[in-house]
Structures are given as structure tokens and as C-alpha cells.
Amino acid sequence: MDPVALLPHRPPFRFVDAVDELVAGESVVARYRVTGDEAFLAGHFPGNPVVPGVIQLESLAQAGGIAVLADERYAGKLPLFGGVEEVRFRRIVRPGDELRLEVTLEKMSARAGWGRGRATVEGDVTCEARLLFVLAPAPA
């Protein structure tokens, strides 16, 4: 099974294209390529498209969600973005860039957990954050 299929997200709001490394319940390395066709780029900013920081954070959260959902202890759960700390944006992301998304899960419980995420483009850090995952029941 393709690990991306673990996500409940679907285009146009799925920001993970592929998973390169996965240790269930521990870590993930994934990728998202910015094509330039994303609707949000039309307005952010006209003539100077820049991927919003919140989309970078969402990409990291979705990658982390794959690591959570790959762990059988969290089967039937819906990992929601519960919070974020220690966020830093360090480089602009533009169409044609491929984000490498690395998330390492920290403490996880039956209800929530934390992960550390880092997004890079060609080795340059674009975004770093500590992410809170809240585990809700998945819809029937």
C-alpha cells in the first residue's frame, strides 16, 4: 500500500506526493512538489508566486500524519493539527521547488502527540516547527 493513501486528505488539499522513508509511529521522510498550478498561488502573490508558510506547515503535519497512521495503535483515528510551536520560516518556496518533509514523532499517547518537522528545498531549510497531533475518531 502507498503510505500517502493513509491520509484522509485529497487534492487539492493534499500536500504530500510521495514517501521515501517511513518508520511507523516514529518518523517519515516525504516529498511535495510545487507545480505552480496550485490555486492559492494565483493570489499569493500575483506575478510573484510564493508558497504560504501555513501550507508548508500543513505539508509537515500531513507527512507526520502518515507516520502516525502507519502505526497500528492509531488505526481508525483521524490525526488533526492541534497546534504548533517554535515555528521558523527560513527560505521562500516557489513553483518548481520540491519540499523534502522530515518529521520525527516525539511523545505520543492514545489522544495526542508531538512531532518535530523540517522542510527543505535542495538542502536549504524552508520551515521548522514542533507540531501537535490530536487524535480524533475517524468518521464512519
Side-chain angles (χ1 to χ4, degrees), residues 69-139:
L69 292 170
D71 188 326
E72 64 185 36
R73 294 176 296 173
Y74 307 112
K77 296 290 186 178
L78 179 64
L80 300 173
F81 202 166
V84 63
E85 295 180 343
E86 303 171 27
V87 179
R88 293 291 180 268
F89 299 104
R90 305 197 182 275
R91 178 194 186 278
I92 290 176
V93 178
R94 299 190 180 277
D97 286 342
E98 183 173 73
L99 283 169
R100 176 181 164 93
L101 308 163
E102 303 172 37
V103 180
T104 301
L105 299 179
E106 297 176 334
K107 183 178 179 183
M108 293 291 297
S109 73
R111 297 185 333 181
W114 287 95
R116 286 219 176 259
R118 173 181 284 190
T120 59
V121 171
E122 296 180 356
D124 294 330
V125 176
T126 68
C127 176
E128 296 175 302
R130 189 163 183 247
L131 310 163
L132 175 63
F133 298 93
V134 176
L135 300 168

